[in-house]
Amino acid sequence: MFAVYRELEGSAHLLMHAIRRLGVLRLPPVAEELVRQIYFTGASATGGIVLRGAFIGTLIIAYVIEVLNADAALAVKMLLWVVLREVGPLIAAVLVIQRSGTAVATELALREISGEIASLRRMRIDPYDYLVVPRVVGMALSNAALTLYVQLIAVGGGMVLSSIIIQVPLDEMLTNFFLLASPLDLVYSLIKSVLFGAAIAVIACYHGMNPGGRSINAVPRAAIRAVTEGLLAVMLLNVIFAYVVYGVALFGLLTAEQ
């Protein structure tokens, strides 16, 4: 229990530090770290999303139309609800945890056990400013961009592939999409994705800078803890969002009082 409290306290401290010290992003070395993190987390991860997103969108439309015998309007509505609000941010978050969360925790743990972070402190360079702030901001922004990309591919690719595979009229699906889509859905998913990315980054940075040992064996342990707790944090945030926004979470097990 004490270890859990210590991790929560340490992660909260890192998050507060990142928020307070956003101004250091103007410094050239920190800005360079930010650009490098955005490129690694966002730009270099887009290739693996295309097939997944298009497959998910097609699967949702095909299931609703073929199995539930619904019309195109309901299929597009389900696509919007599932992909824009829930699946899009979750897919992007899982991808960020899988790639960047592991990489950040491993990199920082190696820097810690090799003495590099201690050297930064001896040179009067705050390692939180130089290492944590750009990673938290970069992963939050990159996760939001990846979420938009997932949504675009899943919705657009799903409708296009569905018109080819199960012969659903594409113009009918597009008409229903523009009638049913709301800017609030996009705002909701973007807020979620920014918070998901920041939570993943804070947890990865905490375990990277506190690997729990000085041997090389501490590095994979830090990465495993970062991935496990990052997934848990994303799921908890998703439950909180569903409860606050829709008044229900965990498939109706939690319901807000009217």
Side-chain angles (χ1 to χ4, degrees):
M1 191 66 185
F2 177 74
V4 174
Y5 173 77
R6 186 178 58 188
E7 290 182 7
L8 288 174
E9 183 184 26
S11 299
H13 174 70
L14 282 183
L15 179 60
M16 291 299 102
H17 183 92
I19 293 173
R20 288 196 310 266
R21 300 288 291 171
L22 288 176
V24 299
L25 294 173
R26 295 193 299 265
L27 301 175
V30 183
E32 184 179 344
E33 287 288 317
L34 174 63
V35 172
R36 188 181 297 116
Q37 188 63 54
I38 291 175
Y39 175 78
F40 177 76
T41 304
S44 63
T46 55
I49 293 178
V50 176
L51 290 178
R52 302 180 207 181
F55 174 75
I56 288 171
T58 305
L59 183 63
I60 292 171
I61 293 178
Y63 184 84
V64 173
I65 291 178
E66 294 294 319
V67 178
L68 302 181
N69 197 26
D71 57 7
L74 180 56
V76 172
K77 185 180 291 187
M78 290 294 295
L79 189 67
L80 288 171
W81 285 347
V82 173
V83 173
L84 285 186
R85 296 181 183 180
E86 303 300 332
V87 174
L90 284 176
I91 290 178
V94 170
L95 182 65
V96 169
I97 292 171
Q98 181 184 0
R99 296 181 77 256
S100 300
T102 307
V104 167
T106 302
E107 176 197 4
L108 295 184
L110 284 171
R111 290 189 175 197
E112 175 65 31
I113 66 174
S114 66
E116 184 176 337
I117 292 179
S119 298
L120 289 175
R121 290 192 176 97
R122 283 195 292 270
M123 291 187 291
R124 297 185 179 180
I125 297 174
D126 189 338
Y128 290 172
D129 286 352
Y130 180 61
L131 299 174
V132 174
V133 175
R135 281 162 176 77
V136 172
V137 175
M139 290 174 70
L141 295 178
S142 298
N143 195 54
L146 284 176
T147 298
L148 281 174
Y149 190 60
V150 168
Q151 291 168 334
L152 176 64
I153 295 298
V155 174
M159 289 192 291
V160 170
L161 290 179
S162 297
S163 67
I164 297 172
I165 297 173
I166 58 177
Q167 286 79 47
V168 181
L170 180 60
D171 57 346
E172 183 180 354
M173 286 191 292
L174 287 172
T175 300
N176 287 306
F177 173 79
F178 288 113
L179 286 174
L180 297 171
S182 169
L184 291 177
D185 293 329
L186 190 60
V187 171
Y188 169 76
S189 65
L190 285 179
I191 293 174
K192 281 177 63 173
S193 61
V194 168
L195 292 180
F196 285 175
I200 295 165
V202 167
I203 291 171
C205 288
Y206 173 80
H207 287 294
M209 301 188 77
N210 300 275
R214 305 299 300 179
S215 69
I216 196 66
N217 294 327
V219 176
R221 289 199 297 268
I224 291 171
R225 288 197 297 270
V227 170
T228 304
E229 295 180 16
L231 285 170
L232 179 60
V234 166
M235 295 305 173
L236 288 175
L237 284 173
N238 200 51
V239 169
I240 292 171
F241 264 92
Y243 186 76
V244 170
V245 176
Y246 304 116
V248 64
L250 296 177
F251 304 102
L253 294 177
L254 296 176
T255 305
E257 295 183 2
Q258 301 296 327

